[in-house]
Amino acid sequence: MGLANLPFGLYGGATLITVPQLLAARHMPEPKIAAITAAAMIPTVCGFLIAPILDVRFNRRSYALVFGALTALTAWIALVRLGSTGVLTACLVTGFLFANLFYNALGGWLGDLVPSGEEGRLGATFTIGNVAGFGIAAILFISLIRGLSPTWGPPAVAATIASPLLLLAIVPVSSAERRSARESFGTLMRDLGQLLRSRTVLRALLLFSLPASSFALTNILGAVGAEFGASERFVAVLAGTGVTAAAIVGALVVPAIVRRVPPLLLYLVIGSVGALFTLLLILLPRVPAVFALAMVCENVFQSAAFAVEATIIFRTIGEDNPLASTQFGLLQAATAFPITYMQALDGQGYGVGGLSGGLLTDAALSLVACAVLLPLVLTWMRRERRVRSAAQTTA
């Protein structure tokens, strides 16, 4: 079911890879391209603020289909209007808003459906849908635009983004869908207050807001390939194929491990091991092979962390949750928060100490966050065991 998330990754690849390539070919200055793509990403951080609309009136399948189709449509318009900066930017921002609403509607819907104990598998395939979609877009879309006429290239991209929506036809609608479709906005505001007071939600917000497993370093490694002697072509091929494959592998290993290791603890293990690997990179020679090792392994760790985050979020939703999409959107936004500020901090570390400074900053802050969270996670786990034991005794 998680592979239905492909449109989100496909749109991300179109916005962050294909459009910048096309704008660069038109000789647009790089700072202007960066400003456009940065603006396009705004809804991924604050889009959760309107996620509550997904939990009233209509079922989440309908919302996912509508916003998925609108995501594809805005991609089409953006590719047609590359020459108009204002229209292009507005389309990209609106498209990411639609994509984010699709993502939250789908996450709330699937999180309500997944059987207990299968959250790890759903989290893995949900992550794979995102990263695989991004990789497919990075490789395929520029070829469609260049290989087809200007008339047919943009609609071909839009059709590719929309095609995975067919997967939604085979996913059932849950009982919570029918209940939330009858809810009023007054009831919604009451339930929102309960959601924000939920101990489970507050714990997850704290866990995700610290940079224990953010691996924001993956977002700057592509720009420092020259320091390892890696050519632009080598970096491009590695980013389009090796990184995608690494991300899929990272997500696939999670379901088997999460059956044996509690996801809260696994999240900290991934962050700690990944941080130690980052420290090791400081000592290794700056050659292309080490650059490839860094790109692949950092993305394996980040993708595994994403899959565990999704698993934790799906477990917090539970069955018949009238605010499933709102809760999913809120917690997903929390996971994006440390990536945003850590990218800035890693950049500051790079400015002070070069590449070694950036690596040290990322690894050190991750280890500190893991150390701070470990006693809390152990306390939460002991409390959950006591609750389960008391429930079994009562039964």
Side-chain angles (χ1 to χ4, degrees):
M1 295 192 299
L3 293 179
N5 191 32
L6 278 166
F8 184 78
L10 289 167
Y11 184 82
T15 301
L16 303 178
I17 302 294
T18 307
V19 169
Q21 286 177 303
L22 296 171
L23 294 178
R26 290 168 173 251
H27 307 292
M28 180 179 285
E30 179 58 34
K32 193 171 184 179
I33 296 175
I36 291 172
T37 55
M41 292 292 290
I42 292 174
T44 64
V45 179
C46 61
F48 75 94
L49 294 173
I50 59 175
I53 68 172
L54 304 172
D55 289 317
V56 297
R57 186 66 179 174
F58 304 108
N59 64 57
R60 297 182 192 108
R61 172 192 276 170
S62 298
Y63 280 120
L65 287 170
V66 168
F67 286 119
L70 289 173
T71 299
L73 179 62
T74 50
W76 184 349
I77 298 173
L79 291 171
V80 171
R81 301 302 300 271
L82 288 170
S84 176
T85 302
V87 175
L88 171 64
T89 304
C91 284
L92 294 179
V93 172
T94 304
F96 246 127
L97 177 60
F98 290 150
N100 195 68
L101 288 169
F102 162 79
Y103 185 79
N104 291 335
L106 184 66
W109 174 19
L110 300 184
D112 185 65
L113 287 175
V114 63
S116 178
E118 295 298 318
E119 297 91 350
R121 291 177 61 191
L122 178 58
T125 56
F126 206 79
T127 301
I128 290 171
N130 186 2
V131 299
F134 192 94
I136 291 170
I139 298 168
L140 177 63
F141 286 174
I142 193 66
S143 299
L144 290 176
I145 296 295
R146 297 303 190 197
L148 300 174
S149 68
T151 302
W152 293 106
V157 169
T160 304
I161 294 173
S163 58
L165 296 177
L166 296 173
L167 293 172
L168 301 184
I170 64 174
V171 183
V173 176
S174 71
S175 57
E177 299 292 333
R178 291 186 290 273
R179 185 177 64 178
S180 64
R182 296 193 301 268
E183 285 187 331
S184 68
F185 278 92
T187 302
L188 174 66
M189 297 308 297
R190 182 201 66 196
D191 288 344
L192 276 173
Q194 294 176 349
L195 172 64
L196 295 176
R197 292 191 297 270
S198 167
R199 178 182 295 178
T200 302
V201 171
L202 292 175
R203 288 190 327 196
L205 285 173
L206 174 61
L207 183 73
F208 294 150
S209 64
L210 295 180
S213 289
S214 64
F215 296 101
L217 193 65
T218 58
N219 295 334
I220 66 171
L221 276 178
V224 299
E227 297 197 30
F228 291 85
S231 67
E232 289 184 349
R233 179 173 178 79
F234 181 82
V235 173
V237 171
L238 184 64
T241 56
V243 167
T244 302
I248 292 173
V249 169
L252 285 175
V253 301
V254 167
I257 301 176
V258 83
R259 292 180 181 276
R260 298 171 176 81
V261 180
L264 292 174
L265 187 58
L266 179 59
Y267 186 69
L268 299 185
V269 170
I270 292 171
S272 300
V273 174
L276 293 175
F277 171 79
T278 300
L279 290 176
L280 176 63
L281 293 175
I282 299 175
L283 306 176
L284 296 179
R286 306 287 168 80
V287 296
V290 172
F291 175 76
L293 178 68
M295 285 282 283
V296 169
C297 290
E298 291 286 346
N299 276 277
V300 167
F301 288 126
Q302 186 182 60
S303 180
F306 285 166
V308 176
E309 287 171 348
T311 300
I312 294 171
I313 293 172
F314 287 134
R315 287 192 175 184
T316 69
I317 290 175
E319 296 181 4
D320 298 332
N321 186 338
L323 289 178
S325 290
T326 302
Q327 187 168 323
F328 183 86
L330 174 65
L331 295 180
Q332 277 294 335
T335 67
F337 179 55
I339 297 176
T340 302
Y341 68 72
M342 279 300 296
Q343 189 163 340
L345 292 175
D346 288 351
Q348 291 297 315
Y350 185 91
V352 173
L355 180 58
S356 295
L359 295 171
L360 180 60
T361 300
D362 193 88
L365 290 178
S366 181
L367 287 172
V368 169
C370 289
V372 169
L373 287 169
L374 180 60
L376 293 175
V377 166
L378 293 176
T379 300
W380 297 339
M381 290 170 56
R382 284 196 297 268
R383 186 175 297 157
E384 288 177 355
R385 284 196 296 268
R386 287 198 298 268
V387 171
R388 286 197 300 269
S389 177
Q392 292 172 353
T393 301
T394 302

